[in-house]
Amino acid sequence: MKPIIKAYAFGLIVALGSSATAQEQLTIMPQTLSNPDNEPAPVHPVPHDRQVKWNETEFYAFFHYGMNTFTNKEWGYGNEPETQYAPLGKPDPRQWLEAVKAAGMKGGIAVVKHHDGFCLWPTETTEHSIKNCGNTNGQVNIPEAFADAARDLDMKYGFYISPWDRNSAYYGDGTNRYVKDVFLRQCYELTAYGTDQFEMWFDGANGGDGYYGGANTTRQIDADTYYDIPNLRDSVHITMPDCVMWGVGGEARWIGNEAGWAGETNWCFGSGTSGNENAVEWNAGESDAKATTAGWFWHSNESVRSLNELWKFYMETVGRNATLILNFPPNKYGVLPDYDVNRLKEFGELLQSRLGTDLAPRATVTASATRKAGASRNYDASNLIDGDKDTYWATDDGVTDATITFMFPETTNVHYVAMQEYIRRGQRVKGFTIETTTDGSNWTRQASSVLTTTIGYKRIIPLNGSTTDHGNGYNIKGVRIHITDAKACPLLHTVSIY
Ligand code: FUL
């Protein structure tokens, strides 16, 4: 009998004579099929595909707009007459999104129901909605207009829908009626405006005093069990596979402050500003911060933060492995005021001038260690500058100390080094340093005041160590990244130099 020849995509030919036993076939074939590309084993926890896509959104807007805009409150009690919602102009979510797009934001989350319970769409779950608003301007269906504009502008969108409802008579009344007949149905209704939502924002404020259908009392619930989150999460993922449930949903975490900063050490698992290296579930950080001074909602006495404050937020969140959701509140006309629009434009220009031109592709890149290539994939350092987030540099298993060197053809002025791990196989790096050279042989450590521990989805290191002072940069011939410690062999997909 002829031998059976099997050729596999990875180039290995396994010849099994007719005399091969079943046992031999079982032991040979799975080994060769399992990892033809010599890909590194994942280091758990690893993110779901939707969590990676969410991280890639990086910088997006929060828009707090609703009944509070007209009552000058931050937390409405729930007894506000519907007619008090009466915009002075036609609310224009497209204008909101265009303004933040100019700042380089990739999407936005619109608050469509805050704790006061007033819904910015004609919901069937309550009369406390735009159905009964005070004028025709108020009839604009905000989630619908927001989603349409986002799709048109090629931006991502999602909604903040407050689980806590100070208007509903059923909230925390000892039955599950509020959750079943109001909250879950409201979440479902919003899918009518698009199933391509990227994030649902479930606030942590839950229970307390309120109107509650006229009871004017205090209601407490147990947020861990009350909202039937596992059921909601399953339904959301069946309907909207790319939608991450923030906060209560457990797929992305609050960074632990509303002041626009994450820890320099920041793991994508655990909680708070730094996460926890040993936590078992992927739960990357999102930082929610206010771009204006008076509150989440628009107030007549507000002003917009300075360019330098916004830059600091950006560097201490996006630059530290967190996403930044930056709040810009539309005013009583239903638009972002000129001072916001202008600041957003200026900020976009600032980001472009500081982080818009990647110098790394002009350099020659080498690594002290490179993982053995597989059949259809290599792990060369050149992957770091090929503009492809799916190719990456890696070392062999067990090698957790390695350098990557970028040499420029001529002296180049440099301010920042940005690094991105290939997080689909886990967040690994635990320690690194950054050095520069002016002559190609003597190296000087930079940013020594910065905790250079974790990288994660993205880390941006200012060479002068400052998140406020852009400085004059460094005139150098080369940059060297030294990975000093990692959970397992490090994998980086991109390094950018600005
Ligand atoms: C908080 C809420 O209570 C605030 O009103 C605001 O919506 C903020 C983003 O989250 O927990």
Side-chain angles (χ1 to χ4, degrees):
M1 204 191 255
K2 279 187 178 166
I4 306 161
I5 307 285
K6 294 207 173 190
Y8 295 98
F10 47 89
L12 183 66
I13 294 174
V14 181
L16 296 174
S18 56
S19 59
T21 64
Q23 178 60 36
E24 280 169 324
Q25 293 189 33
L26 278 177
T27 51
I28 293 168
M29 293 175 64
Q31 280 176 351
T32 50
L33 275 174
S34 64
N35 195 14
D37 278 336
N38 191 30
E39 290 201 74
V43 174
H44 291 283
V46 293
H48 189 279
D49 181 55
R50 77 171 68 88
Q51 291 173 306
V52 177
K53 289 178 178 158
W54 170 86
N55 240 139
E56 287 168 358
T57 313
E58 286 189 17
F59 180 36
Y60 41 97
F62 225 167
F63 299 107
H64 275 71
Y65 169 77
M67 184 60 87
N68 292 335
T69 311
F70 301 88
T71 56
N72 200 30
K73 288 186 183 160
E74 282 288 294
W75 279 16
Y77 190 70
N79 61 345
E80 298 76 20
E82 290 81 33
T83 49
Q84 217 164 337
Y85 179 76
L88 302 179
K90 204 168 166 217
D92 187 1
R94 189 185 169 100
Q95 185 256 6
W96 315 351
L97 285 165
E98 275 173 347
V100 301
K101 191 174 184 180
M105 294 195 204
K106 294 186 191 154
I109 305 271
V111 173
V112 294
K113 173 195 169 191
H114 204 251
H115 312 328
D116 55 70
F118 186 77
C119 295
L120 298 181
W121 74 102
T123 175
E124 286 175 8
T125 60
T126 171
E127 288 305 301
H128 200 51
S129 85
I130 58 165
K131 272 190 301 196
N132 298 310
C133 66
N135 66 9
T136 52
N137 290 330
Q139 288 163 5
V140 173
N141 179 328
I142 298 293
E144 182 176 54
F146 189 74
D148 284 351
R151 274 189 294 268
D152 206 37
L153 295 166
D154 198 19
M155 297 176 80
K156 297 197 195 180
Y157 72 94
F159 303 118
Y160 169 126
I161 170 163
S162 173
W164 182 23
D165 189 325
R166 300 172 99 187
N167 174 264
S168 175
Y170 310 131
Y171 186 89
D173 68 353
T175 73
N176 67 354
R177 191 161 169 188
Y178 167 73
V179 174
K180 199 161 65 64
D181 294 343
V182 181
F183 178 58
L184 296 183
R185 275 182 63 197
Q186 291 176 343
C187 294
Y188 176 70
E189 282 180 349
L190 290 172
T191 63
Y193 309 122
T195 51
D196 48 352
Q197 298 170 34
F198 87 104
E199 176 176 344
M200 267 197 170
W201 219 91
F202 295 121
D203 192 70
N206 280 295
D209 63 338
Y211 174 67
Y212 303 123
N216 294 308
T217 183
T218 296
R219 301 247 171 107
Q220 303 294 352
I221 52 92
D222 175 358
D224 286 337
T225 53
Y226 183 63
Y227 297 112
D228 197 6
I229 291 300
N231 183 18
L232 174 60
R233 192 168 34 219
D234 284 354
S235 314
V236 164
H237 290 160
I238 289 166
T239 327
M240 303 189 286
D242 284 342
C243 185
V244 158
M245 287 179 59
W246 184 89
V248 174
E251 294 186 281
R253 76 174 196 268
W254 186 46
I255 206 65
N257 63 72
E258 292 178 345
W261 63 273
E264 290 179 315
T265 297
N266 185 13
W267 294 97
C268 292
F269 9 101
S271 60
T273 53
S274 296
N276 175 351
E277 179 185 341
N278 300 312
V280 295
E281 282 176 6
W282 193 270
N283 197 18
E286 177 189 82
S287 169
D288 56 333
K290 302 184 249 308
T292 51
T293 51
W296 290 103
F297 286 86
W298 179 84
H299 301 282
S300 58
N301 61 341
E302 73 176 26
S303 58
V304 64
R305 292 184 191 281
S306 69
L307 269 186
N308 213 36
E309 284 173 295
L310 299 187
W311 170 252
K312 184 169 186 286
F313 283 174
Y314 187 91
M315 288 300 288
E316 296 186 359
T317 55
V318 178
R320 293 182 182 169
N321 190 32
T323 63
L324 173 58
I325 177 167
L326 189 57
N327 188 66
F328 282 88
N331 62 16
K332 287 186 178 184
Y333 290 84
V335 295
L336 292 186
D338 286 349
Y339 49 81
D340 287 338
V341 175
N342 294 336
R343 181 67 85 247
L344 281 158
K345 188 165 170 296
E346 288 166 356
F347 190 57
E349 287 161 3
L350 184 84
L351 280 179
Q352 189 58 32
S353 71
R354 294 185 178 177
L355 301 174
T357 307
D358 182 5
L359 304 169
R362 300 182 195 175
T364 304
V365 54
T366 52
S368 66
T370 299
R371 187 176 189 83
K372 189 167 170 296
S376 58
R377 197 184 243 292
N378 70 57
Y379 303 96
D380 296 349
S382 58
N383 291 335
L384 294 164
I385 53 172
D386 65 359
D388 183 346
K389 60 183 171 18
D390 295 318
T391 65
Y392 55 93
W393 163 81
T395 60
D396 281 328
D397 291 345
V399 177
T400 54
D401 186 311
T403 58
I404 315 162
T405 306
F406 297 80
M407 292 305 299
F408 293 107
E410 60 223 20
T411 297
T412 303
N413 185 256
V414 168
H415 291 76
Y416 306 98
V417 175
M419 292 152 289
Q420 295 191 267
E421 285 189 72
Y422 186 73
I423 54 169
R424 287 183 187 275
R425 290 192 170 246
Q427 184 182 352
R428 299 155 176 252
V429 174
K430 295 170 70 164
F432 65 95
T433 59
I434 300 210
E435 300 159 303
T436 57
T437 183
T438 51
D439 59 10
S441 43
N442 296 299
W443 294 86
T444 308
R445 179 153 179 204
Q446 302 293 1
S448 51
S449 60
V450 175
L451 269 182
T452 46
T453 43
T454 53
I455 296 177
Y457 168 77
K458 185 182 266 189
R459 185 86 192 266
I460 309 174
I461 302 295
L463 292 186
N464 67 359
S466 173
T467 53
T468 53
D469 179 18
H470 179 58
N472 297 322
Y474 295 80
N475 294 320
I476 54 163
K477 288 280 280 184
V479 172
R480 185 161 76 185
I481 298 167
H482 183 181
I483 309 280
T484 55
D485 196 10
K487 284 183 161 188
C489 61
L491 324 179
L492 299 188
H493 74 74
T494 299
V495 170
S496 303
I497 300 174
Y498 303 103

